[in-house]
Amino acid sequence: MKVRLEQLTKCFGNVTAVRDFTATLEDGELVCLLGPSGCGKSTILNMLSGILPVTQGNIYFDDVEVTRVPPDKRGVGLVFQNYALYPHMTVRQNICFPLEIQKVPKAERLRRAQEIAKLVHVDALMDRRPVELSGGQQQRVAIARALVKRPRLLLLDEPLSNLDARLRLEMREEIRRIQQQTGVTTIFVTHDQEEAMSISDRIILMREGVLQQNDLPQALYNEPANCFVADFLGNPPINRIEGVWRDGSFCLKDGSFSLKLTPDSPIENGRSVILSIRPESILAAQPQDAVFSCPVSRFYAMGKEEIAYLRFGSVEVRAFVPAELDLKEGDRLPVSLRGRGIFLFDAQTGGRLI
């Protein structure tokens, strides 16, 4: 099912949680709503499900407006962060419950519950109660309960946040598998960038209720629309250096470092700017190939690579370096820069300049 949201706004008193949100989800897509806590992700999910009324704007399912359609008439499956399983019911009864509400005949309920339980790999647990299940198993049951209704739209509200790191990895792969097998249009809310990058067809990144960028996962990383997008994506975080633009170069205000850049359009001298460089875009080089050399202030190991902290004039930046370089504090490292992963932003607006 195709989903279209037009200028969606939600206000709680004087607080605007979502402002003029417009986006389209194509049929069968898995789209991640990504952003920090409090940016409006769950609010959008609750408006889509009908739990929250819309202040302004419209919601369309396959070009049919559903903005004021009751939740039970929308054909939406919702999976909550805390699973919300009924503790006194078995797995089978939990999965069957939405069909019981819909007055589906018992034989059909049991058949569909067994079918969906097999899809999410809980068919061997049907007679257990939630207290007898692990966190990952409870999450699978919650997904099965949402899918058994055969929803046109599946909404997942931070479904993995209560799981440990290893189980999160396993379950996000399972969610992607299940979504691809069912083909249901899915919106996955998360604040975890790795989660979003690994399973989504597209990512919608939000900040303070406003859409910042709607794009393919790798496009957000390689071509951020603004400084917030560049800062939010990346581990370790992108290097952010404040300075000014002078005669075709980024310069630190104290004059201790400068870098020649080629903008697409002229930038006036004296403009306050932010130079952002991804750690993997700073490369250890042979002296004859280096753009400049810089002292190593500290470093720590990450298996086959190390994160080195280098001094670009008076500021410190992070860079990946091969462990075999055997760097020591105080060494000078010749470096070059990749063409990709280097951005210039306006310091006032955050808009991208290069």
Side-chain angles (χ1 to χ4, degrees):
M1 179 179 71
K2 182 178 178 179
V3 178
R4 193 167 85 251
L5 302 94
E6 291 186 351
Q7 296 181 305
L8 213 59
T9 295
K10 179 61 185 177
C11 300
F12 297 95
N14 294 326
V15 177
T16 302
V18 176
R19 186 188 303 275
D20 291 331
F21 184 93
T22 297
T24 299
L25 287 69
E26 298 299 333
D27 182 32
E29 273 193 321
L30 193 160
V31 176
C32 274
L33 275 179
L34 177 66
S37 297
C39 71
K41 308 182 298 295
S42 295
T43 301
I44 289 174
L45 223 62
N46 288 329
M47 287 191 286
L48 278 166
S49 68
I51 293 173
L52 281 178
V54 173
T55 302
Q56 288 181 345
N58 301 293
I59 301 171
Y60 297 89
F61 290 176
D62 278 340
D63 297 324
V64 176
E65 187 177 355
V66 296
T67 313
R68 288 166 184 82
V69 172
D72 59 319
K73 305 295 184 186
R74 295 195 183 192
V76 169
L78 182 58
V79 178
F80 297 96
Q81 180 178 341
N82 62 357
Y83 318 140
L85 300 178
Y86 300 108
H88 63 288
M89 293 183 180
T90 64
V91 168
R92 180 181 288 104
Q93 290 168 332
N94 266 283
I95 296 174
C96 284
F97 188 70
L99 301 180
E100 192 175 336
I101 296 297
Q102 294 176 349
K103 295 184 168 42
V104 174
K106 184 176 181 180
E108 175 68 5
R109 293 201 304 264
L110 294 173
R111 185 191 67 78
R112 283 168 60 176
Q114 192 66 36
E115 182 182 88
I116 207 71
K118 188 174 182 180
L119 175 69
V120 303
H121 298 165
V122 295
D123 48 315
L125 309 172
M126 297 293 270
D127 295 316
R128 296 189 188 181
R129 300 200 191 291
V131 71
E132 301 173 279
L133 304 177
S134 69
Q137 289 168 338
Q138 290 185 52
Q139 189 57 270
R140 289 171 189 269
V141 175
I143 292 170
R145 187 178 58 185
L147 288 173
V148 77
K149 299 186 297 182
R150 296 174 180 165
R152 298 188 296 160
L153 176 64
L154 179 63
L155 306 176
L156 305 171
D157 192 1
E158 301 210 35
L160 309 182
S161 58
N162 293 330
L163 305 179
D164 62 51
R166 187 179 183 89
L167 197 52
R168 284 173 73 105
L169 178 61
E170 177 187 318
M171 277 306 302
R172 76 190 188 199
E173 291 172 351
E174 279 296 284
I175 286 172
R176 184 55 169 163
R177 176 189 66 82
I178 292 163
Q179 189 272 334
Q180 289 181 325
Q181 280 191 240
T182 59
V184 62
T185 305
T186 301
I187 301 178
F188 186 108
V189 162
T190 182
H191 60 267
D192 186 321
Q193 55 165 309
E194 288 187 20
E195 224 162 65
M197 294 287 285
S198 64
I199 68 169
S200 57
D201 295 309
R202 277 187 304 114
I203 294 174
I204 297 174
L205 182 58
M206 297 184 64
R207 179 191 187 192
E208 296 177 353
V210 178
L211 188 154
Q212 300 296 306
Q213 190 167 349
N214 177 0
D215 219 325
L216 300 175
Q218 208 56 41
L220 265 79
Y221 189 81
N222 291 331
E223 298 294 340
N226 57 47
C227 195
F228 172 78
V229 178
D231 288 347
F232 195 84
L233 296 175
N235 187 25
I238 197 167
N239 295 297
R240 175 189 169 109
I241 311 170
E242 297 184 9
V244 295
W245 185 259
R246 291 198 189 107
D247 300 326
S249 294
F250 167 85
C251 303
L252 288 179
K253 291 180 180 178
D254 62 8
S256 62
F257 173 80
S258 64
L259 181 65
K260 186 76 174 178
L261 296 170
T262 307
D264 293 331
S265 56
I267 302 173
E268 65 274 17
N269 277 342
R271 186 172 186 173
S272 294
V273 291
I274 296 170
L275 175 67
S276 295
I277 308 177
R278 298 219 178 269
E280 65 269 24
S281 295
I282 303 171
L283 307 174
Q286 296 298 321
Q288 65 272 18
D289 301 321
V291 177
F292 50 84
S293 67
C294 48
V296 178
S297 58
R298 55 197 171 101
F299 55 89
Y300 62 90
M302 293 182 62
K304 66 179 181 179
E305 292 183 306
E306 292 181 342
I307 293 284
Y309 286 78
L310 311 175
R311 301 295 303 186
F312 280 16
S314 58
V315 301
E316 192 175 64
V317 300
R318 291 174 295 269
F320 285 107
V321 296
E324 58 265 23
L325 288 179
D326 194 25
L327 292 173
K328 299 178 180 61
E329 291 183 15
D331 286 352
R332 290 195 72 86
L333 180 69
V335 299
S336 61
L337 299 175
R338 293 175 62 194
R340 175 178 287 181
I342 301 174
F343 314 106
L344 192 73
F345 302 101
D346 181 271
Q348 299 300 318
T349 66
R352 185 169 161 188
L353 302 171
I354 296 178

